[in-house]
């Protein structure tokens, strides 16, 4: 009996978790992104406020002309668990944007300065305009992109991931992609308007290397004072900061979730312990109990 | 048990008044307090209670989620993100509901395999078992429609692939698909009816669960020996406090597994593609159903013919309902059936491997020799599909005739006290 139960447990563990392979978004000849170290990984992970602020700067100055952030409001930037801007900073920042509003009393739409409650304005008025400006490809919105990108972990890594809590495929992929632009290998023709990237599925991506706006081809920053907090301006650093910011944008309640999780798990553990001994006590009343 | 008489004695005037008019307290007392359970149940018998907890958790979180969700193709995805960002504890509700579906299936698979190992489907529990199969089917329909609601890429394409299966039915297939969709493709009418049904089906599950529990309390629980209760005083213990405290302990342990995923790995059991809004013009590279459908998806794709695949897939579930008559053995518990045990574990492994084939691209090479493909994923799935059905239609009928079972204990009490003596 005891042995049978143990076998059942092992088999069910296997069965319950069979074939949980992640979708192969980054399949198709692309290399696996190297794993980065993230402050927000693990059960007690939190975002690095300064990193999120730097990442926001990268988004704003490099990405935002093509990629929207339509689910994020300016006010989110000052909420707990986020980049930690002050409400004053957010007000000033929002006012720098022009937001379409209306209709007013005379029935006309009008533009006004942004307010903290506004969402980030979309870079293009509609998908057709986005296509026309980008050679037929619509630049994806960035609100949940860090959770919408992954790569196949393969067996047995996906199984091990359950216990290590590795789940940063998205940010890892973003960092890799931004550092994955290369000269196409011999024999690979890259059509006009496409660019070779060793981490992109299929290797041909419509987006040109966006980080040239910050770092030149020799790896030197265009503006050494890009970061005001003294962080070195390297391609890896810029990519990591952006990826961290996008992870926060995709999962703004990550810190709240992990904090609550610790309390709930501790409480359940205590309850389980008490119930275990209660159960033992009650069952000990029986003759031949086990 | 059929012969179990009510031991409820109303103590107060109010209780006596109610008991004379609607004996509902008596019913609760008889089914949750004095109900006798075999004293030798192991922890695999706690999953019924765990499943009840999961059903209630899904209904409660679901009802609150509906207060904030918008079933419209233009707003569904955004309303889910609104829940994640702007609703108080919305992230917790949504992650509990999404991971809760997976936990529900983990528990139900353990529950089903437990029944298969200990022969819980055999007389007099055939109807109890069949009601369970009905619940399983309803669960699958509910989970499938629930996955469509966030209106991500996998929602849309999963719905397209699965509803298209019905087009395999000759003559009336295409009209049926149009009728299911409410149009000529998966679109807003489809989302709306799936939402409506996703809200309805859990309550149908609840109804069948009531019948399932009723049937269970009428015939009494099976137990690891498979020997029926002979002497209520010696073989059983009252549900409260014995089973109650054991079930609670198991439930809390299960909740820790649930919590692990909800708080620390909330997207592990989902697909990254479902964070991309549905796009009817862009097909994802791999359309993969949720993990709990993978073995059946593997069977579906194993058959080269579309109609054949659909029939095989539904047959794989339907055949469970015939299990009570396919298994010819007089001995219930697998514990005393040495040859059955081997076949049972092969069946478990086959089911897991079928899930694996369902998760992989069909042209993936499984076995190659000298650069020549000997076995691809479809071929592998075909072998496994044959083994899956062979367990039901060949192994189980024949084992009962040819297998020499071990000696079965005379009673539950004998088995428990014998074990205890042997341990000393």
């Amino acid at each position: 009996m005891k042995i049978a139960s143990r076998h059942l447990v092992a088999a069910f563990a296997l069965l319950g978790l069979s074939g949980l392979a992640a979708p192969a978004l980054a399949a198709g000849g692309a290399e696996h992104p190297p794993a980065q170290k993230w402050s927000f990984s693990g059960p007690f992970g939190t975002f690095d406020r300064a990193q999120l602020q730097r990442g926001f700067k990268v988004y704003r100055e490099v990405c935002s002309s093509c990629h929207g952030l339509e689910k994020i409001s300016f006010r989110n930037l000052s909420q707990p668990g986020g980049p930690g801007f002050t409400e004053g900073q957010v007000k000033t920042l929002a006012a720098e944007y022009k937001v379409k509003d209306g209709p007013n009393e005379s029935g006309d739409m009008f533009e006004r300065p942004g307010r903290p409650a506004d969402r980030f304005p979309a870079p293009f008025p509609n998908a057709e305009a986005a296509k026309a400006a980008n050679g037929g490809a619509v630049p994806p919105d960035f609100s949940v992109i860090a959770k919408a990108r992954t790569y196949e972990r393969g067996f047995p890594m996906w199984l091990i991931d359950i216990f290590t809590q590795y789940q940063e495929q998205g940010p890892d992929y973003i960092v890799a992609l931004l550092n994955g632009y290369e000269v196409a290998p011999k024999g690979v023709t890259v059509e006009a308007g496409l660019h070779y990237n060793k981490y992109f599925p299929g290797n041909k991506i419509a987006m040109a290397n966006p980080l040239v706006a910050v770092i030149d081809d020799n790896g030197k920053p265009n503006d050494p004072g890009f970061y005001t907090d003294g962080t070195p301006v390297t391609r890896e650093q810029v990519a990591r900061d952006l990826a961290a910011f996008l992870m926060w944008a995709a999962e703004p309640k990550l810190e709240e979730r992990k904090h609550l999780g610790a309390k709930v798990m501790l409480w359940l553990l205590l309850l389980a312990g008490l119930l275990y001994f209660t159960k033992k006590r009650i069952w000990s009343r029986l003759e031949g109990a086990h | 048990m059929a012969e179990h008489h009510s031991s409820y004695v109303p103590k107060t005037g109010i209780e006596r008044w109610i008991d004379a008019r609607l004996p509902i307290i008596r019913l609760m007392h008889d089914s949750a307090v004095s109900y006798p359970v075999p004293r030798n149940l192991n922890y695999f018998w706690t999953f019924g209670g765990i499943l009840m907890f999961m059903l209630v958790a899904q209904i409660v979180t679901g009802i609150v989620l509906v207060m904030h969700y918008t079933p419209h193709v233009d707003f569904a995805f955004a309303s889910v993100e609104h829940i994640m960002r702007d609703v108080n504890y919305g992230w917790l509700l949504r992650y509990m509901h999404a991971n809760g579906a997976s936990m529900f299936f983990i528990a139900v698979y353990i529950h089903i395999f437990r029944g298969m190992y200990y022969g819980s489907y055999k007389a007099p529990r055939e109807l109890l078992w069949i009601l369970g199969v009905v619940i399983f089917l309803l669960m699958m329909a509910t989970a499938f429609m629930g996955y469509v609601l966030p209106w991500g890429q996998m929602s849309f394409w999963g719905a397209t692939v699965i509803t298209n299966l019905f087009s395999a039915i000759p003559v009336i297939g295409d009209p049926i698909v149009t009728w299911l969709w409410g149009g000529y493709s998966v679109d807003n009418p489809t989302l709306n009816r799936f939402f409506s049904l996703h809200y309805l089906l859990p309550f149908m599950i609840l109804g069948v669960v009531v019948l399932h529990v009723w049937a269970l309390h009428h015939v009494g629980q099976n137990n690891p020996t498979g020997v029926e209760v002979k002497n209520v005083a010696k073989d059983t213990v009252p549900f409260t406090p014995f089973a109650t405290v054991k079930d609670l302990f198991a439930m809390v342990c299960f909740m820790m597994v649930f919590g692990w995923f909800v708080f620390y790995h909330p997207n592990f059991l989902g697909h990254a593609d479902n964070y991309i809004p549905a796009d009817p013009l862009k097909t994802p590279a791999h359309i993969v159903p949720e993990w709990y459908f993978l073995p059946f998806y593997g069977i579906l794709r194993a058959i080269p013919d579309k109609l054949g695949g659909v029939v095989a897939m539904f047959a794989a579930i339907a055949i469970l309902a015939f299990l009570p008559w396919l298994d010819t053995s007089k001995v219930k518990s697998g514990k005393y059936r040495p040859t059955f045990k081997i076949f049972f574990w092969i069946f478990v492994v086959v089911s897991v491997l079928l899930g694996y084939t369902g998760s992989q691209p069909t042209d993936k090479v499984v076995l190659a020799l000298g650069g020549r493909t000997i076995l691809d994923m479809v071929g592998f799935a075909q072998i496994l599909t044959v083994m899956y059905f062979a367990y039901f239609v060949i192994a189980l009928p024949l084992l009962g005739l040819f297998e020499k079972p071990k000696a079965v204990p005379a009673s539950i009490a004998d088995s428990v006290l014998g074990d205890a003596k042997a341990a000393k």
Side-chain angles (χ1 to χ4, degrees):
Chain A
M1 225 313 294
K2 279 275 145 66
I3 291 164
S5 307
R6 225 169 291 137
H7 283 206
L8 271 171
V9 172
F12 287 138
L14 249 175
L15 182 85
L17 305 163
S18 66
L20 289 171
L25 255 181
E31 274 185 43
H32 273 192
Q36 306 285 336
K37 269 208 157 69
W38 297 107
S39 67
F40 49 82
S41 67
F44 305 106
T46 53
F47 289 112
D48 173 347
R49 314 272 161 244
Q51 182 173 45
L52 293 189
Q53 296 201 2
R54 292 195 302 270
F56 174 61
K57 184 181 165 75
V58 178
Y59 166 73
R60 200 178 167 208
E61 294 181 17
V62 182
C63 321
S64 67
S65 53
C66 297
H67 295 279
L69 207 55
E70 60 176 27
K71 306 282 189 289
I72 319 291
S73 305
F74 296 113
R75 66 180 167 86
N76 295 140
L77 294 169
S78 63
Q79 279 175 348
F85 287 110
T86 64
E87 281 181 33
Q89 284 172 312
V90 168
K91 245 185 199 155
T92 318
L93 175 87
E96 290 171 18
Y97 286 79
K98 285 268 169 288
V99 174
K100 202 169 193 187
D101 203 347
N104 59 15
E105 293 97 343
S106 48
D108 298 318
M109 303 302 282
F110 60 93
E111 280 197 336
R112 59 161 175 80
R115 294 190 286 248
D118 290 321
R119 304 274 170 106
F120 275 84
F124 301 102
N126 51 58
E128 268 55 43
K131 260 187 211 166
N134 290 284
V138 183
D141 184 81
F142 270 4
S143 309
V144 283
I145 198 100
K147 290 196 285 187
R149 292 293 180 271
T150 189
Y151 61 94
E152 184 135 19
R153 293 284 286 163
F155 182 82
M157 278 321 289
W158 65 262
L159 204 69
I160 297 167
D161 289 346
I162 297 176
F163 303 98
T164 60
Q165 297 183 359
Y166 174 75
Q167 54 197 303
E168 286 79 28
Q169 286 102 318
D172 283 351
Y173 170 75
I174 292 167
V175 174
L177 186 82
L178 292 173
N179 289 289
Y181 285 92
E182 279 180 356
V183 179
K186 270 194 187 129
V188 178
T189 28
V190 179
E191 295 79 3
L194 293 179
H195 308 271
Y196 188 86
N197 189 307
K198 66 174 171 176
Y199 294 111
F200 189 71
N203 297 123
K204 292 170 198 177
I205 183 167
M207 174 174 72
N209 184 354
L211 291 192
V212 291
V214 185
I215 317 264
D216 68 16
D217 285 340
N218 304 318
K220 290 265 172 330
N222 298 332
D223 169 16
F226 181 75
Y227 285 147
T228 49
D229 63 356
T231 308
V233 187
T234 64
R235 187 174 289 136
E236 286 73 23
Q237 185 64 44
V238 170
R240 263 200 301 274
D241 292 346
L242 175 68
F245 171 73
L246 293 179
M247 189 63 220
W248 166 77
E251 192 75 8
K253 302 298 170 76
L254 180 143
E255 290 188 12
E256 187 187 350
R257 166 161 60 77
K258 290 183 177 182
H259 286 163
L260 183 62
K263 289 182 205 161
V264 170
M265 294 301 268
L266 191 68
W267 188 83
L268 286 176
L269 195 68
L270 280 171
L271 185 60
L274 291 172
L275 280 168
Y276 175 75
F277 289 110
T278 313
K279 188 254 165 195
K280 266 196 108 145
R281 180 83 175 267
I282 287 173
W283 280 77
S284 70
R285 294 181 208 159
L286 294 175
E287 187 203 350
H290 60 178
Chain B
M1 322 261 131
E3 63 279 8
H4 168 61
H5 293 294
S6 180
S7 62
Y8 172 67
V9 183
K11 288 187 192 78
T12 61
I14 294 174
E15 278 182 75
R16 271 192 296 276
W17 189 87
I18 294 174
D19 195 52
R21 286 156 182 82
L22 177 72
I24 188 163
I25 304 176
R26 179 181 298 276
L27 177 74
M28 293 191 308
H29 181 272
D30 292 349
S31 37
V33 179
S34 66
Y35 170 65
V37 292
R39 57 185 292 178
N40 61 338
L41 298 185
N42 61 34
Y43 274 100
F44 286 111
W45 262 266
T46 60
F47 281 89
I50 288 169
L51 283 162
M52 192 79 96
F53 168 77
M54 286 316 304
L55 178 62
V56 172
Q58 289 300 84
I59 288 177
V60 170
T61 53
I63 286 173
V64 184
L65 285 170
V66 166
M67 297 176 189
H68 305 279
Y69 168 78
T70 312
H72 187 285
V73 290
D74 292 338
F75 307 110
F77 190 89
S79 71
V80 171
E81 279 306 314
H82 159 72
I83 290 169
M84 292 296 288
R85 290 158 195 275
D86 300 327
V87 174
N88 290 332
Y89 293 102
W91 58 268
L92 179 60
L93 288 167
R94 174 170 170 253
Y95 279 154
M96 275 179 75
H97 198 72
N99 286 286
S102 281
M103 293 300 128
F104 207 154
F105 274 95
I106 288 175
V108 92
Y109 281 131
I110 294 174
H111 193 64
I112 292 172
F113 277 110
R114 188 269 289 151
M116 290 175 77
Y117 183 81
Y118 292 111
S120 300
Y121 45 81
K122 291 188 194 183
R125 297 184 181 83
E126 300 95 322
L127 276 181
L128 172 60
W129 174 260
I130 290 170
L131 286 166
V133 177
V134 172
I135 295 170
F136 180 46
L137 261 174
L138 286 171
M139 275 176 67
M140 292 173 92
T142 310
F144 162 66
M145 289 192 239
Y147 201 70
V148 175
L149 303 185
W151 211 243
Q153 272 290 67
M154 217 44 110
S155 298
F156 179 87
W157 290 99
T160 303
V161 168
I162 300 302
T163 48
N164 252 319
L165 293 180
F166 292 91
S167 70
I169 303 168
V171 190
I172 52 164
D174 284 327
I176 284 184
V177 174
T178 309
W179 177 71
L180 285 174
W181 285 342
Y184 296 102
S185 65
V186 173
D187 208 334
N188 201 46
T190 327
L191 176 59
N192 273 292
R193 60 194 54 192
F194 277 20
F195 175 58
S196 171
L197 294 174
H198 184 71
Y199 208 122
L200 169 71
L201 289 187
F203 295 97
M204 291 176 64
I205 294 178
L206 196 61
V208 186
V209 166
V210 169
L211 298 181
H212 191 67
V213 174
W214 184 10
L216 171 75
H217 284 223
H218 182 69
V219 296
Q221 264 137 321
N222 184 31
N223 65 81
T225 65
V227 178
E228 292 298 318
V229 171
K230 287 176 181 145
N231 181 329
V232 172
K234 279 187 181 159
D235 292 344
T236 70
V237 290
F239 190 82
T240 301
F242 293 95
T244 324
V245 71
K246 195 170 169 179
D247 279 359
L248 272 175
F249 169 62
M251 212 178 282
V252 170
C253 291
F254 190 81
M255 281 161 82
M256 291 205 289
V257 178
F258 188 14
W260 182 271
F261 285 103
V262 168
F263 294 109
Y264 300 122
H265 229 159
N267 294 302
F268 179 80
L269 296 155
H271 298 116
D273 303 60
N274 233 24
Y275 280 109
I276 304 171
D279 183 351
L281 301 176
K282 219 185 241 165
T283 319
H286 295 131
I287 303 173
V288 189
E290 301 89 289
W291 68 265
Y292 37 84
F293 292 142
L294 287 174
F296 302 105
Y297 194 59
I299 291 176
L300 169 78
R301 296 194 311 181
I303 316 290
D305 174 60
K306 192 175 176 186
L307 179 60
V310 174
V311 169
M313 182 178 74
F314 283 108
I317 304 163
I319 202 162
L320 288 169
F322 298 94
L323 204 46
W325 297 279
L326 289 169
D327 185 348
T328 52
S329 173
K330 294 224 159 37
V331 175
K332 260 192 211 126
S333 172
K335 204 175 151 184
Y336 307 104
R337 301 181 59 191
T339 325
F340 163 85
K341 256 187 214 170
I342 298 167
F343 281 90
F344 174 82
W345 289 113
I346 292 173
F347 176 75
V348 172
V349 172
V350 163
S351 303
V352 173
L353 289 177
L354 270 171
Y356 167 72
T357 66
S359 76
Q360 298 296 312
T362 45
D363 53 0
K364 188 167 171 173
V365 177
V366 179
L367 197 67
L369 202 69
R372 275 187 46 206
T373 304
I374 293 175
L375 191 65
D376 64 1
M377 207 45 83
V378 171
F380 189 39
Q382 285 167 349
I383 295 171
L384 294 167
T385 302
V386 170
M387 291 173 82
Y388 179 93
F389 284 104
Y391 176 75
F392 293 99
V393 296
I394 301 174
L396 284 183
L398 292 183
L399 275 174
L401 303 178
F402 297 108
E403 182 186 39
K404 265 224 165 73
K406 286 196 248 174
V408 173
S411 73
I412 294 172
D414 269 12
S415 129
V416 174
L417 299 176
D419 280 1
K421 265 177 212 146
K424 276 169 196 165

